[in-house]
Amino acid sequence: MAVEVEPHPHFPGIYWATLQDGSKGLCTQNLAPGRSVYGERLTRYRGVEYRAWDPFRSKLAAAILKGLKKVPIQPKHRVLYLGAASGTTASHVSDIIGEEGHVYCVEFAPRAIRELVNNVCAFRPNMSPILADARFPERYALLVEKVDDIYCDIAQPQQAKVLADNADLFLKRGGWIMLAIKARSIDVTKAPSEIYQQEIDVLKTRRFHIEEVVHLEPYDKAHAMITAQSTPDKRFS
């Protein structure tokens, strides 16, 4: 049970919960009160329900705890989420953007998206599940509007390219991206640092300005979170 919940000083829609033992953890305000998504703790504070945000289950939470300076995803934003899986992090994104925002959840695995639909999206009107392969964004172009942010967490060999291809179709001018790089999904023979630089170079050639790179150990091994912004001359409509 949280003793106190207070807004994160830098990231709207994200909160710090102080527990009875004095420890602190991240949380988000539950958009579907009474329901947990992955067994996370629910707590009420001053009449509002919050969900504990586990950094060992969510790379976005891990990046924040590792010192991420900017979280582009904010209340009222439209977000394209590539690799939504069963909805662990996507549900917290849903909390952050709130009822006036929307998150388009692209997932390729039928079992994962079935869980996403039945356990998460059914109770959250600001989420749209899309069964599709993120490598082919043109196949779901009619289902997604222009978005403020793209969050990408996929197990593909060309992660930065997949994200950039989606950005060409969906990201607003000057919009932001977050790429959770899984080094082992790209090449197990290379050092993770080499993989990170390789993906960063891809984003730069696609005219993204790299804001920061945060390594996610000890929460996720051989993972890093890249935050970047599309440059003004990137040709989005």
mmCIF file of all heavy atoms in Angstrom, residues 59 82-84 106-109 132-137 139-140 152-166 179-188 195 198-199 202 222-223:
data_model
loop_
_atom_site.group_PDB
_atom_site.id
_atom_site.type_symbol
_atom_site.label_atom_id
_atom_site.label_comp_id
_atom_site.label_asym_id
_atom_site.label_seq_id
_atom_site.Cartn_x
_atom_site.Cartn_y
_atom_site.Cartn_z
ATOM 1 N N LYS A 59 10.480 -1.983 -20.402
ATOM 2 C CA LYS A 59 11.718 -1.288 -20.747
ATOM 3 C C LYS A 59 11.588 0.228 -20.596
ATOM 4 O O LYS A 59 12.568 0.914 -20.319
ATOM 5 C CB LYS A 59 12.148 -1.661 -22.159
ATOM 6 C CG LYS A 59 12.452 -3.140 -22.329
ATOM 7 C CD LYS A 59 12.781 -3.494 -23.761
ATOM 8 C CE LYS A 59 12.967 -4.995 -23.923
ATOM 9 N NZ LYS A 59 11.714 -5.747 -23.655
ATOM 10 N N LEU A 82 4.871 -0.282 -31.693
ATOM 11 C CA LEU A 82 5.270 -1.428 -32.509
ATOM 12 C C LEU A 82 5.811 -2.528 -31.603
ATOM 13 O O LEU A 82 6.791 -2.323 -30.882
ATOM 14 C CB LEU A 82 6.341 -1.015 -33.521
ATOM 15 C CG LEU A 82 5.984 0.162 -34.438
ATOM 16 C CD1 LEU A 82 7.172 0.514 -35.325
ATOM 17 C CD2 LEU A 82 4.759 -0.158 -35.280
ATOM 18 N N GLY A 83 5.170 -3.681 -31.630
ATOM 19 C CA GLY A 83 5.574 -4.781 -30.764
ATOM 20 C C GLY A 83 4.899 -4.719 -29.409
ATOM 21 O O GLY A 83 5.546 -4.867 -28.369
ATOM 22 N N ALA A 84 3.587 -4.524 -29.412
ATOM 23 C CA ALA A 84 2.847 -4.309 -28.166
ATOM 24 C C ALA A 84 2.739 -5.562 -27.310
ATOM 25 O O ALA A 84 2.440 -5.472 -26.119
ATOM 26 C CB ALA A 84 1.448 -3.781 -28.477
ATOM 27 N N VAL A 106 0.492 -2.405 -32.559
ATOM 28 C CA VAL A 106 0.796 -3.356 -33.623
ATOM 29 C C VAL A 106 1.508 -4.559 -33.023
ATOM 30 O O VAL A 106 2.514 -4.410 -32.320
ATOM 31 C CB VAL A 106 1.663 -2.710 -34.720
ATOM 32 C CG1 VAL A 106 2.061 -3.742 -35.774
ATOM 33 C CG2 VAL A 106 0.927 -1.542 -35.372
ATOM 34 N N GLU A 107 0.974 -5.742 -33.295
ATOM 35 C CA GLU A 107 1.569 -6.972 -32.789
ATOM 36 C C GLU A 107 1.366 -8.079 -33.816
ATOM 37 O O GLU A 107 0.289 -8.210 -34.408
ATOM 38 C CB GLU A 107 0.950 -7.366 -31.446
ATOM 39 C CG GLU A 107 1.384 -8.714 -30.907
ATOM 40 C CD GLU A 107 2.886 -8.863 -30.797
ATOM 41 O OE1 GLU A 107 3.563 -7.919 -30.326
ATOM 42 O OE2 GLU A 107 3.416 -9.928 -31.197
ATOM 43 N N PHE A 108 2.416 -8.878 -34.021
ATOM 44 C CA PHE A 108 2.400 -9.901 -35.064
ATOM 45 C C PHE A 108 1.935 -11.262 -34.564
ATOM 46 O O PHE A 108 1.345 -12.041 -35.309
ATOM 47 C CB PHE A 108 3.806 -10.024 -35.669
ATOM 48 C CG PHE A 108 3.912 -11.040 -36.761
ATOM 49 C CD1 PHE A 108 3.291 -10.846 -37.984
ATOM 50 C CD2 PHE A 108 4.628 -12.215 -36.563
ATOM 51 C CE1 PHE A 108 3.380 -11.801 -39.003
ATOM 52 C CE2 PHE A 108 4.736 -13.170 -37.569
ATOM 53 C CZ PHE A 108 4.099 -12.954 -38.787
ATOM 54 N N ALA A 109 2.188 -11.570 -33.291
ATOM 55 C CA ALA A 109 1.886 -12.906 -32.760
ATOM 56 C C ALA A 109 0.407 -13.022 -32.398
ATOM 57 O O ALA A 109 -0.086 -12.257 -31.561
ATOM 58 C CB ALA A 109 2.740 -13.186 -31.527
ATOM 59 N N ALA A 132 -0.614 -7.313 -37.192
ATOM 60 C CA ALA A 132 0.133 -7.002 -38.409
ATOM 61 C C ALA A 132 1.618 -7.131 -38.149
ATOM 62 O O ALA A 132 2.078 -7.138 -37.000
ATOM 63 C CB ALA A 132 -0.189 -5.580 -38.888
ATOM 64 N N ASP A 133 2.382 -7.214 -39.230
ATOM 65 C CA ASP A 133 3.840 -7.252 -39.189
ATOM 66 C C ASP A 133 4.350 -5.823 -39.350
ATOM 67 O O ASP A 133 4.089 -5.169 -40.367
ATOM 68 C CB ASP A 133 4.347 -8.141 -40.320
ATOM 69 C CG ASP A 133 5.844 -8.420 -40.227
ATOM 70 O OD1 ASP A 133 6.585 -7.565 -39.695
ATOM 71 O OD2 ASP A 133 6.270 -9.482 -40.709
ATOM 72 N N ALA A 134 5.080 -5.330 -38.353
ATOM 73 C CA ALA A 134 5.559 -3.938 -38.368
ATOM 74 C C ALA A 134 6.510 -3.660 -39.526
ATOM 75 O O ALA A 134 6.758 -2.489 -39.848
ATOM 76 C CB ALA A 134 6.244 -3.605 -37.046
ATOM 77 N N ARG A 135 7.019 -4.699 -40.182
ATOM 78 C CA ARG A 135 7.903 -4.491 -41.330
ATOM 79 C C ARG A 135 7.145 -3.993 -42.559
ATOM 80 O O ARG A 135 7.768 -3.511 -43.518
ATOM 81 C CB ARG A 135 8.627 -5.794 -41.687
ATOM 82 C CG ARG A 135 9.606 -6.292 -40.629
ATOM 83 C CD ARG A 135 10.199 -7.626 -41.046
ATOM 84 N NE ARG A 135 9.161 -8.648 -41.159
ATOM 85 C CZ ARG A 135 9.381 -9.872 -41.646
ATOM 86 N NH1 ARG A 135 10.599 -10.215 -42.055
ATOM 87 N NH2 ARG A 135 8.392 -10.745 -41.726
ATOM 88 N N PHE A 136 5.837 -4.078 -42.516
ATOM 89 C CA PHE A 136 5.022 -3.688 -43.670
ATOM 90 C C PHE A 136 3.950 -2.693 -43.251
ATOM 91 O O PHE A 136 2.753 -3.010 -43.246
ATOM 92 C CB PHE A 136 4.390 -4.933 -44.305
ATOM 93 C CG PHE A 136 5.376 -6.016 -44.634
ATOM 94 C CD1 PHE A 136 5.477 -7.148 -43.843
ATOM 95 C CD2 PHE A 136 6.223 -5.890 -45.734
ATOM 96 C CE1 PHE A 136 6.392 -8.147 -44.137
ATOM 97 C CE2 PHE A 136 7.150 -6.880 -46.037
ATOM 98 C CZ PHE A 136 7.242 -8.008 -45.241
ATOM 99 N N PRO A 137 4.359 -1.471 -42.899
ATOM 100 C CA PRO A 137 3.401 -0.488 -42.376
ATOM 101 C C PRO A 137 2.301 -0.104 -43.359
ATOM 102 O O PRO A 137 1.212 0.302 -42.938
ATOM 103 C CB PRO A 137 4.286 0.714 -42.030
ATOM 104 C CG PRO A 137 5.520 0.546 -42.862
ATOM 105 C CD PRO A 137 5.728 -0.925 -42.952
ATOM 106 N N ARG A 139 0.482 -1.966 -44.911
ATOM 107 C CA ARG A 139 -0.641 -2.893 -44.792
ATOM 108 C C ARG A 139 -1.654 -2.447 -43.736
ATOM 109 O O ARG A 139 -2.790 -2.930 -43.731
ATOM 110 C CB ARG A 139 -0.129 -4.297 -44.470
ATOM 111 C CG ARG A 139 0.718 -4.901 -45.593
ATOM 112 C CD ARG A 139 1.181 -6.303 -45.251
ATOM 113 N NE ARG A 139 2.016 -6.871 -46.326
ATOM 114 C CZ ARG A 139 2.610 -8.049 -46.256
ATOM 115 N NH1 ARG A 139 2.462 -8.803 -45.177
ATOM 116 N NH2 ARG A 139 3.349 -8.490 -47.265
ATOM 117 N N TYR A 140 -1.250 -1.585 -42.828
ATOM 118 C CA TYR A 140 -2.206 -1.079 -41.835
ATOM 119 C C TYR A 140 -2.314 0.449 -41.881
ATOM 120 O O TYR A 140 -2.750 1.079 -40.925
ATOM 121 C CB TYR A 140 -1.854 -1.560 -40.423
ATOM 122 C CG TYR A 140 -0.393 -1.417 -40.008
ATOM 123 C CD1 TYR A 140 0.075 -0.259 -39.392
ATOM 124 C CD2 TYR A 140 0.503 -2.453 -40.216
ATOM 125 C CE1 TYR A 140 1.395 -0.147 -39.002
ATOM 126 C CE2 TYR A 140 1.827 -2.355 -39.834
ATOM 127 C CZ TYR A 140 2.274 -1.201 -39.221
ATOM 128 O OH TYR A 140 3.585 -1.086 -38.833
ATOM 129 N N CYS A 152 8.930 1.624 -30.175
ATOM 130 C CA CYS A 152 9.241 0.392 -30.890
ATOM 131 C C CYS A 152 9.987 -0.581 -29.986
ATOM 132 O O CYS A 152 11.053 -0.253 -29.455
ATOM 133 C CB CYS A 152 10.079 0.711 -32.133
ATOM 134 S SG CYS A 152 10.457 -0.718 -33.168
ATOM 135 N N ASP A 153 9.424 -1.783 -29.836
ATOM 136 C CA ASP A 153 10.042 -2.836 -29.025
ATOM 137 C C ASP A 153 9.783 -4.158 -29.748
ATOM 138 O O ASP A 153 8.862 -4.897 -29.399
ATOM 139 C CB ASP A 153 9.437 -2.842 -27.620
ATOM 140 C CG ASP A 153 10.094 -3.865 -26.716
ATOM 141 O OD1 ASP A 153 11.074 -4.510 -27.137
ATOM 142 O OD2 ASP A 153 9.615 -4.031 -25.572
ATOM 143 N N ILE A 154 10.586 -4.434 -30.765
ATOM 144 C CA ILE A 154 10.369 -5.603 -31.605
ATOM 145 C C ILE A 154 11.619 -6.474 -31.652
ATOM 146 O O ILE A 154 12.734 -5.978 -31.505
ATOM 147 C CB ILE A 154 9.972 -5.202 -33.050
ATOM 148 C CG1 ILE A 154 11.058 -4.322 -33.685
ATOM 149 C CG2 ILE A 154 8.626 -4.494 -33.065
ATOM 150 C CD1 ILE A 154 10.817 -3.993 -35.151
ATOM 151 N N ALA A 155 11.416 -7.776 -31.853
ATOM 152 C CA ALA A 155 12.534 -8.715 -31.977
ATOM 153 C C ALA A 155 12.801 -8.972 -33.451
ATOM 154 O O ALA A 155 12.510 -10.041 -33.973
ATOM 155 C CB ALA A 155 12.221 -10.009 -31.243
ATOM 156 N N GLN A 156 13.342 -7.970 -34.134
ATOM 157 C CA GLN A 156 13.624 -8.049 -35.565
ATOM 158 C C GLN A 156 15.097 -7.713 -35.809
ATOM 159 O O GLN A 156 15.696 -6.948 -35.043
ATOM 160 C CB GLN A 156 12.752 -7.055 -36.346
ATOM 161 C CG GLN A 156 11.266 -7.333 -36.276
ATOM 162 C CD GLN A 156 10.833 -8.409 -37.242
ATOM 163 O OE1 GLN A 156 11.633 -8.923 -38.023
ATOM 164 N NE2 GLN A 156 9.560 -8.777 -37.185
ATOM 165 N N PRO A 157 15.696 -8.227 -36.869
ATOM 166 C CA PRO A 157 17.098 -7.904 -37.157
ATOM 167 C C PRO A 157 17.320 -6.443 -37.541
ATOM 168 O O PRO A 157 18.406 -5.920 -37.342
ATOM 169 C CB PRO A 157 17.441 -8.838 -38.325
ATOM 170 C CG PRO A 157 16.420 -9.922 -38.266
ATOM 171 C CD PRO A 157 15.179 -9.283 -37.748
ATOM 172 N N GLN A 158 16.319 -5.788 -38.123
ATOM 173 C CA GLN A 158 16.469 -4.401 -38.576
ATOM 174 C C GLN A 158 15.505 -3.502 -37.816
ATOM 175 O O GLN A 158 14.559 -2.944 -38.373
ATOM 176 C CB GLN A 158 16.228 -4.310 -40.080
ATOM 177 C CG GLN A 158 17.249 -5.058 -40.914
ATOM 178 C CD GLN A 158 16.977 -4.945 -42.404
ATOM 179 O OE1 GLN A 158 15.906 -5.269 -42.884
ATOM 180 N NE2 GLN A 158 17.965 -4.447 -43.141
ATOM 181 N N GLN A 159 15.768 -3.324 -36.543
ATOM 182 C CA GLN A 159 14.822 -2.627 -35.680
ATOM 183 C C GLN A 159 14.703 -1.147 -36.015
ATOM 184 O O GLN A 159 13.602 -0.596 -36.102
ATOM 185 C CB GLN A 159 15.228 -2.845 -34.218
ATOM 186 C CG GLN A 159 15.108 -4.302 -33.798
ATOM 187 C CD GLN A 159 15.819 -4.637 -32.509
ATOM 188 O OE1 GLN A 159 16.131 -3.766 -31.692
ATOM 189 N NE2 GLN A 159 16.097 -5.922 -32.304
ATOM 190 N N ALA A 160 15.820 -0.474 -36.222
ATOM 191 C CA ALA A 160 15.781 0.952 -36.544
ATOM 192 C C ALA A 160 15.123 1.202 -37.900
ATOM 193 O O ALA A 160 14.367 2.158 -38.072
ATOM 194 C CB ALA A 160 17.186 1.542 -36.518
ATOM 195 N N LYS A 161 15.407 0.349 -38.863
ATOM 196 C CA LYS A 161 14.805 0.501 -40.187
ATOM 197 C C LYS A 161 13.295 0.338 -40.123
ATOM 198 O O LYS A 161 12.551 1.122 -40.740
ATOM 199 C CB LYS A 161 15.382 -0.521 -41.161
ATOM 200 C CG LYS A 161 14.769 -0.438 -42.569
ATOM 201 C CD LYS A 161 15.284 -1.530 -43.478
ATOM 202 C CE LYS A 161 14.713 -1.391 -44.897
ATOM 203 N NZ LYS A 161 13.232 -1.451 -44.923
ATOM 204 N N VAL A 162 12.822 -0.667 -39.387
ATOM 205 C CA VAL A 162 11.381 -0.890 -39.253
ATOM 206 C C VAL A 162 10.722 0.342 -38.638
ATOM 207 O O VAL A 162 9.678 0.809 -39.106
ATOM 208 C CB VAL A 162 11.107 -2.143 -38.403
ATOM 209 C CG1 VAL A 162 9.621 -2.244 -38.053
ATOM 210 C CG2 VAL A 162 11.552 -3.393 -39.148
ATOM 211 N N LEU A 163 11.338 0.875 -37.602
ATOM 212 C CA LEU A 163 10.786 2.070 -36.968
ATOM 213 C C LEU A 163 10.748 3.241 -37.947
ATOM 214 O O LEU A 163 9.734 3.943 -38.076
ATOM 215 C CB LEU A 163 11.611 2.433 -35.725
ATOM 216 C CG LEU A 163 11.009 3.480 -34.776
ATOM 217 C CD1 LEU A 163 11.632 3.360 -33.400
ATOM 218 C CD2 LEU A 163 11.200 4.903 -35.279
ATOM 219 N N ALA A 164 11.852 3.472 -38.651
ATOM 220 C CA ALA A 164 11.929 4.603 -39.580
ATOM 221 C C ALA A 164 10.925 4.465 -40.721
ATOM 222 O O ALA A 164 10.334 5.453 -41.163
ATOM 223 C CB ALA A 164 13.348 4.730 -40.127
ATOM 224 N N ASP A 165 10.714 3.242 -41.197
ATOM 225 C CA ASP A 165 9.729 3.021 -42.255
ATOM 226 C C ASP A 165 8.327 3.385 -41.767
ATOM 227 O O ASP A 165 7.523 3.962 -42.516
ATOM 228 C CB ASP A 165 9.756 1.564 -42.713
ATOM 229 C CG ASP A 165 11.002 1.217 -43.516
ATOM 230 O OD1 ASP A 165 11.712 2.152 -43.944
ATOM 231 O OD2 ASP A 165 11.268 0.007 -43.714
ATOM 232 N N ASN A 166 8.024 3.046 -40.533
ATOM 233 C CA ASN A 166 6.733 3.421 -39.959
ATOM 234 C C ASN A 166 6.634 4.932 -39.764
ATOM 235 O O ASN A 166 5.586 5.533 -39.992
ATOM 236 C CB ASN A 166 6.511 2.702 -38.626
ATOM 237 C CG ASN A 166 5.975 1.301 -38.799
ATOM 238 O OD1 ASN A 166 4.770 1.082 -38.766
ATOM 239 N ND2 ASN A 166 6.871 0.340 -38.991
ATOM 240 N N LEU A 179 13.152 3.809 -29.270
ATOM 241 C CA LEU A 179 13.514 2.492 -29.782
ATOM 242 C C LEU A 179 14.206 1.685 -28.693
ATOM 243 O O LEU A 179 15.283 2.056 -28.229
ATOM 244 C CB LEU A 179 14.436 2.624 -30.999
ATOM 245 C CG LEU A 179 15.040 1.330 -31.554
ATOM 246 C CD1 LEU A 179 13.951 0.350 -31.971
ATOM 247 C CD2 LEU A 179 15.978 1.637 -32.720
ATOM 248 N N ALA A 180 13.564 0.597 -28.287
ATOM 249 C CA ALA A 180 14.171 -0.321 -27.326
ATOM 250 C C ALA A 180 14.956 -1.364 -28.117
ATOM 251 O O ALA A 180 14.381 -2.296 -28.675
ATOM 252 C CB ALA A 180 13.098 -0.970 -26.469
ATOM 253 N N ILE A 181 16.255 -1.176 -28.188
ATOM 254 C CA ILE A 181 17.093 -2.069 -29.000
ATOM 255 C C ILE A 181 17.368 -3.370 -28.250
ATOM 256 O O ILE A 181 17.837 -3.354 -27.107
ATOM 257 C CB ILE A 181 18.434 -1.408 -29.353
ATOM 258 C CG1 ILE A 181 18.209 -0.137 -30.170
ATOM 259 C CG2 ILE A 181 19.321 -2.367 -30.133
ATOM 260 C CD1 ILE A 181 19.488 0.576 -30.524
ATOM 261 N N LYS A 182 17.061 -4.484 -28.911
ATOM 262 C CA LYS A 182 17.393 -5.810 -28.390
ATOM 263 C C LYS A 182 18.609 -6.308 -29.169
ATOM 264 O O LYS A 182 18.474 -6.843 -30.270
ATOM 265 C CB LYS A 182 16.214 -6.758 -28.572
ATOM 266 C CG LYS A 182 14.923 -6.289 -27.926
ATOM 267 C CD LYS A 182 13.794 -7.280 -28.188
ATOM 268 C CE LYS A 182 12.510 -6.824 -27.539
ATOM 269 N NZ LYS A 182 11.406 -7.796 -27.730
ATOM 270 N N ALA A 183 19.778 -6.120 -28.614
ATOM 271 C CA ALA A 183 21.008 -6.420 -29.352
ATOM 272 C C ALA A 183 21.065 -7.876 -29.798
ATOM 273 O O ALA A 183 21.502 -8.185 -30.910
ATOM 274 C CB ALA A 183 22.229 -6.076 -28.505
ATOM 275 N N ARG A 184 20.632 -8.807 -28.956
ATOM 276 C CA ARG A 184 20.730 -10.233 -29.277
ATOM 277 C C ARG A 184 19.774 -10.641 -30.387
ATOM 278 O O ARG A 184 19.970 -11.686 -31.029
ATOM 279 C CB ARG A 184 20.473 -11.079 -28.022
ATOM 280 C CG ARG A 184 21.498 -10.869 -26.907
ATOM 281 C CD ARG A 184 22.920 -11.006 -27.427
ATOM 282 N NE ARG A 184 23.917 -10.877 -26.362
ATOM 283 C CZ ARG A 184 25.171 -10.533 -26.547
ATOM 284 N NH1 ARG A 184 25.596 -10.255 -27.771
ATOM 285 N NH2 ARG A 184 26.003 -10.431 -25.542
ATOM 286 N N SER A 185 18.742 -9.845 -30.622
ATOM 287 C CA SER A 185 17.825 -10.150 -31.719
ATOM 288 C C SER A 185 18.392 -9.707 -33.065
ATOM 289 O O SER A 185 17.892 -10.108 -34.114
ATOM 290 C CB SER A 185 16.476 -9.458 -31.489
ATOM 291 O OG SER A 185 15.829 -9.988 -30.359
ATOM 292 N N ILE A 186 19.430 -8.869 -33.022
ATOM 293 C CA ILE A 186 20.032 -8.363 -34.252
ATOM 294 C C ILE A 186 21.237 -9.194 -34.667
ATOM 295 O O ILE A 186 21.334 -9.649 -35.809
ATOM 296 C CB ILE A 186 20.420 -6.878 -34.081
ATOM 297 C CG1 ILE A 186 19.152 -6.036 -33.858
ATOM 298 C CG2 ILE A 186 21.192 -6.370 -35.296
ATOM 299 C CD1 ILE A 186 19.423 -4.581 -33.554
ATOM 300 N N ASP A 187 22.160 -9.433 -33.723
ATOM 301 C CA ASP A 187 23.362 -10.212 -34.058
ATOM 302 C C ASP A 187 24.021 -10.660 -32.752
ATOM 303 O O ASP A 187 24.544 -9.827 -32.002
ATOM 304 C CB ASP A 187 24.334 -9.360 -34.885
ATOM 305 C CG ASP A 187 25.457 -10.188 -35.494
ATOM 306 O OD1 ASP A 187 25.782 -11.257 -34.931
ATOM 307 O OD2 ASP A 187 26.008 -9.771 -36.529
ATOM 308 N N VAL A 188 24.001 -11.945 -32.507
ATOM 309 C CA VAL A 188 24.570 -12.469 -31.263
ATOM 310 C C VAL A 188 26.084 -12.511 -31.292
ATOM 311 O O VAL A 188 26.733 -12.719 -30.266
ATOM 312 C CB VAL A 188 24.024 -13.887 -30.961
ATOM 313 C CG1 VAL A 188 22.533 -13.859 -30.731
ATOM 314 C CG2 VAL A 188 24.391 -14.848 -32.088
ATOM 315 N N ILE A 195 26.183 -2.991 -31.785
ATOM 316 C CA ILE A 195 24.822 -3.043 -32.317
ATOM 317 C C ILE A 195 24.103 -1.721 -32.089
ATOM 318 O O ILE A 195 23.426 -1.192 -32.988
ATOM 319 C CB ILE A 195 24.030 -4.191 -31.669
ATOM 320 C CG1 ILE A 195 24.675 -5.535 -32.007
ATOM 321 C CG2 ILE A 195 22.573 -4.155 -32.117
ATOM 322 C CD1 ILE A 195 24.630 -5.890 -33.469
ATOM 323 N N GLN A 198 25.278 0.766 -34.545
ATOM 324 C CA GLN A 198 24.767 0.425 -35.876
ATOM 325 C C GLN A 198 23.339 0.939 -36.058
ATOM 326 O O GLN A 198 23.007 1.540 -37.094
ATOM 327 C CB GLN A 198 24.794 -1.098 -36.027
ATOM 328 C CG GLN A 198 24.078 -1.652 -37.240
ATOM 329 C CD GLN A 198 24.051 -3.165 -37.207
ATOM 330 O OE1 GLN A 198 25.090 -3.821 -37.120
ATOM 331 N NE2 GLN A 198 22.856 -3.742 -37.249
ATOM 332 N N GLU A 199 22.501 0.732 -35.055
ATOM 333 C CA GLU A 199 21.108 1.180 -35.146
ATOM 334 C C GLU A 199 21.004 2.703 -35.067
ATOM 335 O O GLU A 199 20.175 3.318 -35.736
ATOM 336 C CB GLU A 199 20.273 0.523 -34.049
ATOM 337 C CG GLU A 199 20.195 -0.988 -34.147
ATOM 338 C CD GLU A 199 19.581 -1.443 -35.462
ATOM 339 O OE1 GLU A 199 18.353 -1.394 -35.605
ATOM 340 O OE2 GLU A 199 20.354 -1.856 -36.369
ATOM 341 N N VAL A 202 21.708 4.072 -38.455
ATOM 342 C CA VAL A 202 20.543 3.942 -39.338
ATOM 343 C C VAL A 202 19.568 5.091 -39.107
ATOM 344 O O VAL A 202 19.079 5.715 -40.058
ATOM 345 C CB VAL A 202 19.836 2.589 -39.120
ATOM 346 C CG1 VAL A 202 18.495 2.554 -39.871
ATOM 347 C CG2 VAL A 202 20.724 1.445 -39.575
ATOM 348 N N ALA A 222 21.738 -6.487 -22.352
ATOM 349 C CA ALA A 222 22.002 -6.221 -23.766
ATOM 350 C C ALA A 222 20.847 -5.476 -24.430
ATOM 351 O O ALA A 222 20.469 -5.765 -25.563
ATOM 352 C CB ALA A 222 22.324 -7.507 -24.508
ATOM 353 N N HIS A 223 20.278 -4.527 -23.686
ATOM 354 C CA HIS A 223 19.214 -3.670 -24.211
ATOM 355 C C HIS A 223 19.595 -2.210 -23.979
ATOM 356 O O HIS A 223 20.256 -1.876 -23.000
ATOM 357 C CB HIS A 223 17.879 -3.925 -23.504
ATOM 358 C CG HIS A 223 17.178 -5.164 -23.962
ATOM 359 N ND1 HIS A 223 17.657 -6.427 -23.737
ATOM 360 C CD2 HIS A 223 16.001 -5.322 -24.630
ATOM 361 C CE1 HIS A 223 16.810 -7.322 -24.238
ATOM 362 N NE2 HIS A 223 15.798 -6.675 -24.786
#
